[in-house]
Amino acid sequence: PQSPPLAHVFKGTFVHSSASAPLEILPGHLLGVDDNGTIVFVEQADQLEQLAKTWGFKTSDIRQLSKHEFFMPGLVDTHIHAPQYAFTGTRVDLPLLQWLTSYTFPTEAKYQDNGFAEEVYTRVVRRTLKNGTTTACYFATIHTDSSLLLAEITGKTTSFLPFFRFVTELLEKKYPRVQPIITPRFGPSCTEDLLNALGDLAQTHDLRVQSHISENEEEVKLVESMFPTYQNYTELYDKNKLLTSKTVMAHACYLSEEELKLFSLRGAAISHCPNSNFSLCSGVLNVRKVLEHNVKLGLGTDVAGGYSASMLDAIRKTMMASNSLQINKVNGTGITLEEAFQLATLGGSQALGLDDVIGNFEVGKEFDALLINTKASDSPFDLFSADDFEDALQKFLYLGDDRNISEVYVAGKQVVPFSSSV
Ligand code: GUN
Ligand code: ZN
C-alpha cells in the first residue's frame, strides 16, 4: 500500500544528542516527517532513491538546506514562571526569600486580572518560541481563569501547567499539547496537610509534580525549622508522595549525597537553573555530581529569578556554573559544551519523561526542531573562512540568538515565523 504523503523532506546537516553521544553531527542526511509530525527516516543522502520509492516523494519535494544552515532539536525549558515574565530582566537584587515577598508575590497577585494575564502570557509564549523553546514546564499562579488562558495560548505547543479546577477539561483533550502538573510552590509556602493532600492527588491520578528544592541556604534552614520531624528537604516531599518518577524539582543546589540517592531511587528529576542561581546569589549546582548519581537532569530558565527567557542562555550559564566550581577546585566538575547542549534537549525530555516523544531526531519521535542559520543577515556573530562547521555551531551556542533561529517546528508544524493567527 502507498504510504501517506510526507509533510517534509529536508536534506542537509542535523545536529542532536543520542543516548551514546552528547553531540552527533549528521552532515548530508535526509530527514522525512509524515503528516502526523513524526520523523519517519533519518538516512544518509545516498539512500535517496530507495527512500523516494518507499515514501513516494519526488526529488523536487526535497528542501535542501544551505551550508550555513542546520537543524537541531527544539529546546526544553524544564522550569519557567510564566507570570514572572512581566518583570524579567529587573529586580534580581535580593536574596530568594526577600525577592519573593518584595517583588514576586505582589506581581503574581495581579493575575486575577485576565487582561493583564493575557498580555503577559501571550508575550512569554511568543518570546520563548522565537528563542527556540518547543516544550516548557510552566508555573502559573493560583488564579484559575488566567491560568486557563495560559493553557489556551500554549495549546499549540507542548507545556505543563499547574493543577487547577480545569484539569478535567485538559484530560478531555481540549488542549492536547498541554498537560497538568501538581505545583506546591516550595516547602515554606505549604503545610504538611497541604503537601499530603497534593501527594494523594498526584498518586490517585498519576499526575506530574513540580516544585523548588534546596535553592538557597536560608530556605533550607527555614524548611528544617518548619518541618523538624523530617530528616531533610527531600524527605519532606518524598514522605508526602511528591517525589516520584513524574517529579521535576528546580535548583537542588544544597542536596546531600543521601538526598541525591533518594532522587535517583525514585526516578525524580532536577531542573538546573544557573542564571537564577547566579542572579539571586542562591548557590551553584554540581551538575557532574548529579549525573554521577544517575539523577535525571534538564535545564531551566527560571524566568524571572533568571533574567533570560532563552535556553541558549541556560546552556551558557551551565558552562559558567561548571567553570566556577572548577575555579574553586571542586573535583571532577567540568561540563563540556556538548553536554550542556544535551541537557537542554535530550536531558530535558528525559527529565520530563517525554524522551520517547521528543528530545532528538530519532525515527518515531515528533519533529520538534529549530532551523539554525549561522550566517543570517543580522547574525550577532561573525564567521571567518577558517571556521569549520563545529566552530560555527559553537559560535551559535555561545553567541547566537533568535536572529539565527529562522524556523521553529513543533510536531512537524512550523510555528516560527509566526503566522498572523498566532
Ligand atoms: N521558590 C519558591 N518560589 C519561587 C519562585 O517563584 N522562584 C524561585 N526561583 N524560587 C522559588
Ligand atoms: Zn522557579
Side-chain angles (χ1 to χ4, degrees):
Q2 188 69 28
S3 332
L6 294 180
H8 310 282
V9 182
F10 298 109
K11 184 179 173 196
T13 301
F14 300 84
V15 175
H16 73 163
S17 304
S18 67
S20 54
L23 188 77
E24 220 170 61
I25 300 172
L26 308 170
H29 273 62
L30 285 161
L31 183 148
V33 181
D34 73 10
D35 244 10
N36 301 319
T38 306
I39 300 167
V40 290
F41 59 78
V42 185
E43 298 280 352
Q44 304 258 17
D46 62 11
Q47 299 300 304
L48 170 61
E49 220 170 287
Q50 187 55 46
L51 290 167
K53 210 155 91 191
T54 308
W55 294 97
F57 63 87
K58 299 189 287 292
T59 316
S60 57
D61 297 333
I62 298 173
R63 162 110 176 256
Q64 167 86 51
L65 307 190
S66 86
K67 70 174 186 170
H68 299 295
E69 290 179 315
F70 65 89
F71 270 112
M72 61 172 275
L75 295 157
V76 181
D77 190 341
T78 57
H79 187 85
I80 173 168
H81 297 259
Q84 295 175 21
Y85 183 66
F87 63 91
T88 311
T90 68
R91 312 184 209 174
V92 278
D93 54 353
L94 290 173
L96 175 69
L97 299 179
Q98 292 90 312
W99 174 84
L100 284 170
T101 47
S102 306
Y103 306 132
T104 308
F105 297 158
T107 301
E108 291 190 5
K110 296 204 274 183
Y111 285 79
Q112 66 201 33
D113 172 353
N114 287 344
F116 180 68
E118 180 160 17
E119 184 187 354
V120 179
Y121 289 167
T122 302
R123 288 188 185 279
V124 68
V125 172
R126 288 176 72 98
R127 176 68 61 194
T128 50
L129 273 176
K130 258 166 83 83
N131 287 345
T133 299
T134 48
T135 299
C137 196
Y138 279 113
F139 272 59
T141 65
I142 56 169
H143 311 96
T144 306
D145 290 342
S146 65
S147 301
L148 264 171
L149 276 171
L150 182 56
E152 178 118 22
I153 294 162
T154 56
K156 296 190 177 71
T157 57
T158 306
S159 63
F160 303 135
L161 285 171
F163 185 79
F164 308 102
R165 228 176 343 110
F166 72 95
V167 68
T168 41
E169 275 175 75
L170 291 175
L171 297 177
E172 281 163 16
K173 304 283 183 219
K174 183 169 177 195
Y175 310 109
R177 305 199 67 75
V178 180
Q179 298 186 23
I181 184 163
I182 300 269
T183 305
R185 182 166 206 128
F186 68 153
S189 63
C190 299
T191 60
E192 207 173 345
D193 284 349
L194 176 62
L195 290 170
N196 201 263
L198 292 174
D200 280 340
L201 210 53
Q203 194 173 56
T204 309
H205 300 282
D206 192 27
L207 290 166
R208 299 169 179 282
V209 177
Q210 65 177 345
S211 190
H212 300 89
I213 194 166
S214 290
E215 175 176 4
N216 156 300
E217 283 179 306
E218 209 185 336
E219 171 212 9
V220 176
K221 287 206 189 86
L222 181 59
V223 167
E224 278 166 9
S225 71
M226 283 176 70
F227 303 98
T229 60
Y230 294 89
Q231 296 277 316
N232 53 49
Y233 206 158
T234 304
E235 193 180 82
L236 174 68
Y237 291 129
D238 186 54
K239 288 243 158 106
N240 288 294
K241 295 154 283 182
L242 291 164
L243 196 77
T244 73
S245 60
K246 292 185 132 184
T247 297
V248 56
M249 289 284 170
H251 308 301
C253 300
Y254 299 98
L255 293 188
S256 64
E257 295 272 331
E258 202 185 353
E259 291 178 280
L260 281 173
K261 282 184 189 151
L262 192 52
F263 264 75
S264 176
L265 190 67
R266 298 285 185 257
I270 290 172
S271 171
H272 176 37
C273 306
N275 187 319
S276 171
N277 294 160
F278 284 132
S279 296
L280 300 179
C281 278
S282 299
V284 184
L285 177 72
N286 188 333
V287 166
R288 180 65 63 209
K289 197 161 125 190
V290 171
L291 295 175
E292 280 171 0
H293 279 81
N294 277 318
V295 175
K296 292 183 278 179
L297 184 66
L299 304 186
T301 59
D302 195 25
V303 159
Y307 62 73
S308 170
S310 167
M311 285 297 295
L312 290 169
D313 172 85
I315 290 175
R316 292 159 199 164
K317 297 297 190 294
T318 294
M319 296 306 296
M320 296 306 130
S322 161
N323 291 355
S324 76
L325 293 176
Q326 285 188 283
I327 290 167
N328 287 304
K329 309 245 181 316
V330 179
N331 282 338
T333 50
I335 292 296
T336 63
L337 185 61
E338 288 80 2
E339 286 175 301
F341 171 89
Q342 180 178 37
L343 292 174
T345 53
L346 188 60
S349 74
Q350 290 163 340
L352 301 180
L354 285 175
D355 49 315
D356 54 340
V357 189
I358 57 161
N360 63 11
F361 295 133
E362 262 173 44
V363 170
K365 291 195 183 183
E366 291 180 355
F367 186 66
D368 276 13
L370 316 181
L371 179 64
I372 307 302
N373 182 356
T374 54
K375 270 215 163 164
S377 60
D378 50 357
S379 177
F381 59 89
D382 294 302
L383 292 179
F384 299 99
S385 52
D387 288 332
D388 61 15
F389 181 82
E390 283 179 51
D391 294 323
L393 173 61
Q394 284 198 22
K395 284 188 179 187
F396 167 68
L397 291 175
Y398 272 118
L399 296 162
D401 62 25
D402 58 299
R403 287 169 288 189
N404 303 104
I405 303 177
S406 37
E407 295 172 14
V408 177
Y409 292 80
V410 174
K413 189 166 165 271
Q414 193 186 321
V415 293
V416 171
F418 299 120
S419 63
S420 51
S421 65
V422 181

